[in-house]
Structures are given as C-alpha cells and as structure tokens.
Amino acid sequence: MRFSSLGSGSEGNALLVAVGRTHVLMDCGFGLQDTVARLTRLGVSPQQLSGIVVTHEHSDHISGVARLARKYNLPVWLTHGTLRSHAKAFVGTTHIHEIDPQLAFVIGDIEITPYSVPHDAAEPVQFVFSDGARRLGVLTDAGCSTAHIEQTLSGCHALVLECNHDIEMLMNGDYPYSLKQRVGGRFGHLNNQESAGILAKLDISRLQHLIAAHLSRRNNTPALAVRALSVAAKCAESWIGVATQENGFAWREIT
Ligand SMILES: [Zn+2]
Ligand SMILES: [Zn+2]
C-alpha cells in the first residue's frame, strides 16, 4: 500500500492511496487543472483514479470534487449530510454513493473505514484505508479527540495527523476573536498539543510513517508540529514528515 498527498492546508487538501491498480483520492480542494498537475507530479493520471472519498463539505476538501468526478466519470463516496450540504454541485454527477459513517466499504483493492469526528460540518468523517493487512489512518479537521477516534487509529501502520495550529501562535496572532474561537474550539481544528495527546494514547508499535498535516500557514510552523509529535511518539524529529500546501508529500510505501 502506498500513499501521498497533492497538498494539505486550508487552501486545499487531497490525499492519494494506492494498492495495486486501485487509486483512491481522499478529498479534492483544488481546481481541475491544478489537480491534474498535482496528480501528474505523483505519476498518476486522472484516468487511473478509481474514485473519490470525501470527508466533509468545507471548500478546502470538496471544492474540486464534483468537477473532477464529472470530467473523468469518477464515482464519489460521501455521507448523506455532506451530500445534502453540497447537493447543487453534484447535479449531473452520475455515480454518487452515500456512505454510512459506521460501515466500511470497498473500492477495488482498498477497504475504507469511515469514522465520525467532531467538526463544524453537517456529517463529517475521516477514514482508515487498508489492503487487508496494513492500515493507514488519516485524521484532520477535528476539534478534539474522542474515545472512538483513539480506538480507530490505534495500531495503524501509518498516520496522517492534523497539526493545525500552535495554540500560542493562534491566540497571539491577528485572527479575529471569533475565528480564534472557531479554529481553537471543540468543533474546529486540532492543535499540535492535542494531536500529540492523541498520539500518546495510541498503540504505535507498528507505525512506519507519521505525517503532520493541515498546518496553518499563519498559526503554526513545521518545526513546532514535528517537535510536539516527536515527543509523543518518542522518535527522532527527522523521522516525521510534514505535508505542505504546495507539494503535499511524496509517495510513501507501507511494507
Ligand atoms: Zn480543512
Ligand atoms: Zn473542515
């Protein structure tokens, strides 16, 4: 199983997971041309995609989904709430699958387990991807942890974890008060320490890859995010990857 990112952050997100010939895109917050250029950089053509799974209706995750799906005739999997919140955009998109946030489903050679997260969207989920033997857990856009999140992510072979902001930088920064409350609130985004706290509770004995994702340009730095996660995982800072807005991250193989 391999995975990579087209880009990560409040200006657009898309993650790519591949097992054999199956390529699943998780979210697409980039325009059509930009998406194709980013896929090409990773050596994948849009025709090779097996489908798109969507976490929630915020534009940095969904804005490019419907156009990409229509242009390349790709099936889309999303919750009822996400679809309802973005229904207009999907008019004319033929293959829409509404998922139950409690039930795993299969796309080609990849099993996908959605799980619910606290976030200020209609019916947000995040996903665990598996080839039957190994598991990649992805968690971004969550305001806080839950027992269910920790249960789901425990024992994964790879983790992509939101490190949205450093709490000091957010609170001392120039965001308006209401936005600080939203981002830092229980239905906003995970800060470095919250992510580190989640990581410390997980079984990471099988972990091969750890990536900090969805970093705020204004309220975080890669160094702060990596430091927080390395303390929690008791690993070298150089072992942890950071997903960037411009380039995401290159392919990583789970063995
Ligand atoms: Zn987001
Ligand atoms: Zn969001």
Side-chain angles (χ1 to χ4, degrees), residues 56 58 60-61 119 141 182 189:
H56 64 299
H58 290 160
D60 55 323
H61 298 265
H119 190 55
D141 298 73
R182 193 236 135 199
H189 291 272

Side-chain angles (χ1 to χ4, degrees), residues 148-178:
H148 181 55
I149 289 177
E150 288 158 20
Q151 227 166 40
T152 306
L153 295 181
S154 209
C156 279
H157 300 75
L159 285 171
V160 175
L161 268 188
E162 167 164 60
C163 288
N164 181 260
H165 56 278
D166 170 77
I167 193 69
E168 301 285 322
M169 284 181 76
L170 176 70
M171 288 309 166
N172 298 325
D174 56 3
Y175 270 18
Y177 179 74
S178 59

Side-chain angles (χ1 to χ4, degrees), residues 133-219:
R134 297 161 215 104
R135 293 164 71 233
L136 158 66
V138 183
L139 173 64
T140 70
D141 298 73
C144 57
S145 187
T146 65
H148 181 55
I149 289 177
E150 288 158 20
Q151 227 166 40
T152 306
L153 295 181
S154 209
C156 279
H157 300 75
L159 285 171
V160 175
L161 268 188
E162 167 164 60
C163 288
N164 181 260
H165 56 278
D166 170 77
I167 193 69
E168 301 285 322
M169 284 181 76
L170 176 70
M171 288 309 166
N172 298 325
D174 56 3
Y175 270 18
Y177 179 74
S178 59
L179 191 53
K180 288 181 183 180
Q181 293 299 108
R182 193 236 135 199
V183 169
R186 295 183 65 77
F187 293 91
H189 291 272
L190 293 170
N191 67 46
N192 298 339
Q193 293 310 322
E194 288 171 323
S195 274
I198 294 171
L199 193 58
K201 290 185 190 164
L202 305 180
D203 168 8
I204 55 167
S205 59
R206 291 184 275 279
L207 199 63
Q208 299 175 21
H209 302 279
L210 175 59
I211 304 208
H214 215 304
L215 271 71
S216 164
R217 281 185 200 270
R218 285 163 73 177
N219 301 314

